[in-house]
Structure formats: structure tokens, C-alpha cells
Amino acid sequence: MPRIAYVNGRYLPHGDAAVHIEDRGYQFADGVYEVCEVRHGMIVDLTRHLNRLDRSLSELRIAQPMGRPALIQVIRQVLRRNHVRNGLFYMQVTRGVARRDHVFPDASVTPSLVITAKSTDPSIIARKNALGIRAVTLPDNRWDRVDIKTVGLLPNAMARQQAKEAGAQEAIYIDAEGMVTEGAATNVWIVDKDGVLVTRPAEHGILRGITRTTLLDVTERLGIPTAERRFSRQEMLEAREVFITAATSICFPVVMIDGETIANGHPGGVSEKIRGHFFDIAEKTAI
Ligand code: PDD
């Protein structure tokens, strides 16, 4: 069964799905994206993802490709046509096709919209949760607007590749002051020496992850002491627990960073507890 993608108004097998060579996403990484999880046939945190998509678009002055009800219909169609019950879908919106020129094209150029979906294997995620993952730290060499979820992901791809070559699954960025920003495709959390769950404030230097936002709801509901403050690489290495969050993974424990074992080298109880309650509290939308 071929995978089906939505490309600018058409549902096409992946082999036939293509965008124009002068699409500004291809020429300038002039576009934004969202990744959402699907679990047991329900879309997780759809409203928050669509709200962030709207924000990313407005920060870059890209028009909405279509209204929200229509967009949700297209998402549902892509998920149904790909028979996704557990998996992910990706939405990419670019400024559209225009003769190559750095300056934005005039308003008659319509944005491009691509939506794809894939099934994932829950047993792979369960294994990573049981064992924990490894990470490396790298200097944060990205631009200043990482709060916008743009498709300009080359530094992130290079960081993940560097992590892979070092036998790790994530790269954690460190800013010029030695403080943790975020992962190449995740937000980072620690349980500090006092047992407080800590994550960097989302004002500057990180993407405001949707999983991060929902997780803050979860910790409030569970009464887990939580603080949004910056923390250093050193504090992270000495933490009781480290984990990373994203729509693709919810909450993966990190048990080794730069070859140093975190705590006793096993996944900690806080991430496990949060994971156990995450889907009760997250918004769920039926396909
Ligand atoms: N990445 N920080 C960065 C740089 C990210 O790319 C992501 C998500 C996150 C977590 O955001 P959320 O909880 O909304 O998924 C933080 C997606 C999953 C990706 O690029 O595949």
C-alpha cells in the first residue's frame, strides 16, 4: 500500500508527490512546520499544535494556507488514507513558489501546504523508555529565532548526526554562558538536587514545545514541584534525573551524557510518573 501525501490540494502516492523547484521552502528554508503524535486513533494536542503553527506563520508573515476546519479535514484524510492509528503527521507550510529573489514575493503568491503521515512502532518507544537514551552536548550554533518552528533545520540535523556518530540519540545544546538550551529536536528537563523538576523558560533560546506545555499541566495536576529556570551543563550532569520531551517521543529518560552516567544510570521515577499520566491530561481529537 503506497503512502499518501497531501500536496497543495491533491492526495498523491509519495512517489508522485513533489513540490516546485522554485518553492521558497526549497530555495530559502522559507517555511514552518509542525509534528503531531497520533495515539490509539486520536490526535494528541491538536489545538496547541495548530495555535503554534499560526504563531510561526504570523512571525514570518506567511499567509494561512487554509482555514482551521479545512486543515483539520485534510489532516484527517491523510491519516485515514495512510491507516495511521499510532504514528505521526507532519505539516509543512512554505511561503510558496516565486522566481528566486531573497525579498518576499507579493501577496498574490499563495503558500504551499504539504501533509504527510507515518505509522510508528510503540515497542521501539517502550524500549527507549525502559533503557533510557544517551546524549552529547554541543555549542548552540543556531540563529536567534529558534522560537519559530521553521524548516531551517540544518544545524539540528548536523547536531543529531554528530550525536549518532558518538553513539548517542540526542544532542543537547549549550549556550555561550554554559547553560542548557534544548535538544536538537527536543526540550530538556532535569530533576535537581532538591528534587525540583526544572526546565528552561521559553522566553528565549528554545522552542516552546507543545509536549513541554502539556507536561507543565501534568506536573501541576500531579503536584510535582516544578520550576522554569535556566540550568548549566554541570548541573545537568549532576542531576537526579534528566529527560527530553517532544511530540515524537513524549518523554525519554537520558541516562548518559558525554560519556558520563546520570545518577545511577537508570531511568528515573519522575519521567515514568509523568509519562503514565500524560495522555490522560493531553487533548485528544478523534480521527
Ligand atoms: N521537534 N525543540 C526543538 C528544536 C524541536 O525541534 C522540537 C520538536 C521540540 C519539542 O517540541 P514539541 O513538544 O512541540 O514536539 C523542541 C519535532 C518533533 C521534529 O522536528 O521532529
Side-chain angles (χ1 to χ4, degrees):
M1 187 197 70
R3 282 174 65 200
I4 302 295
Y6 173 89
V7 185
N8 294 327
R10 297 201 293 163
Y11 295 92
L12 297 164
H14 273 215
D16 302 328
V19 290
H20 195 282
I21 54 167
E22 284 199 311
D23 191 286
R24 287 183 60 99
Y26 179 63
Q27 295 282 353
F28 296 108
D30 186 0
V32 302
Y33 77 111
E34 279 297 323
V35 185
C36 284
E37 191 192 7
V38 178
R39 194 180 129 98
H40 304 324
M42 307 290 263
I43 302 169
V44 180
D45 277 334
L46 180 61
T47 306
R48 282 180 169 161
H49 281 281
L50 294 179
N51 289 346
R52 187 173 62 185
L53 180 67
D54 288 351
R55 177 185 182 275
S56 297
L57 290 169
S58 88
E59 289 294 308
L60 297 180
R61 289 191 276 146
I62 299 176
Q64 309 261 356
M66 58 178 67
R68 188 170 290 199
L71 183 58
I72 293 172
Q73 280 316 311
V74 176
I75 292 165
R76 287 197 165 113
Q77 272 300 319
V78 173
L79 292 171
R80 287 184 197 147
R81 289 178 191 229
N82 289 283
H83 305 286
V84 174
R85 304 287 303 162
N86 290 292
L88 298 167
F89 68 89
Y90 295 78
M91 295 180 271
Q92 263 105 5
V93 184
T94 74
R95 200 178 302 276
V97 177
R99 190 185 162 121
R100 193 178 188 284
D101 181 354
H102 286 66
V103 172
F104 295 172
D106 69 54
S108 64
V109 171
T110 51
S112 301
L113 171 63
V114 171
I115 302 183
T116 53
K118 67 179 180 192
S119 295
T120 52
D121 180 353
S123 70
I124 295 175
I125 291 177
R127 196 179 137 78
K128 283 190 177 163
N129 283 329
L131 296 177
I133 64 154
R134 294 172 181 209
V136 293
T137 59
L138 293 175
D140 199 335
N141 59 358
R142 300 172 301 161
W143 72 326
D144 200 41
R145 294 304 311 272
V146 295
D147 58 301
I148 309 173
K149 197 164 172 62
T150 77
V151 296
L153 291 172
L154 186 55
N156 310 61
M158 289 173 74
R160 270 278 170 98
Q161 180 62 23
Q162 203 169 323
K164 185 180 176 199
E165 289 170 13
Q169 291 80 42
E170 180 57 306
I172 296 175
Y173 284 124
I174 310 295
D175 71 15
E177 287 155 29
M179 309 303 268
V180 172
T181 55
E182 62 181 334
T186 56
N187 291 122
V188 180
W189 304 68
I190 62 169
V191 179
D192 74 8
K193 61 175 175 23
D194 300 320
V196 177
L197 180 61
V198 180
T199 197
R200 185 178 171 116
E203 283 90 55
H204 191 75
I206 67 166
L207 179 74
R208 189 185 290 272
I210 301 304
T211 319
R212 177 188 179 283
T213 303
T214 298
L215 212 125
L216 289 170
D217 291 348
V218 175
T219 62
E220 193 181 349
R221 197 81 72 85
L222 297 180
I224 296 171
T226 306
E228 288 181 81
R229 67 165 174 84
R230 299 190 312 151
F231 55 93
S232 67
R233 173 181 179 275
Q234 194 55 35
E235 187 178 4
M236 175 173 70
L237 293 177
E238 292 165 5
R240 289 193 195 172
E241 211 174 313
V242 178
F243 61 86
I244 55 173
T245 58
T248 44
S249 51
I250 304 303
C251 175
F252 279 160
V254 180
V255 294
M256 186 174 275
I257 301 175
D258 294 336
E260 291 192 33
T261 304
I262 304 301
N264 65 1
H266 296 289
V270 174
S271 64
E272 192 182 346
K273 187 170 176 189
I274 287 169
R275 208 168 35 249
H277 290 84
F278 187 89
F279 294 106
D280 302 339
I281 289 165
E283 180 200 33
K284 294 168 280 291
T285 307
I287 298 172

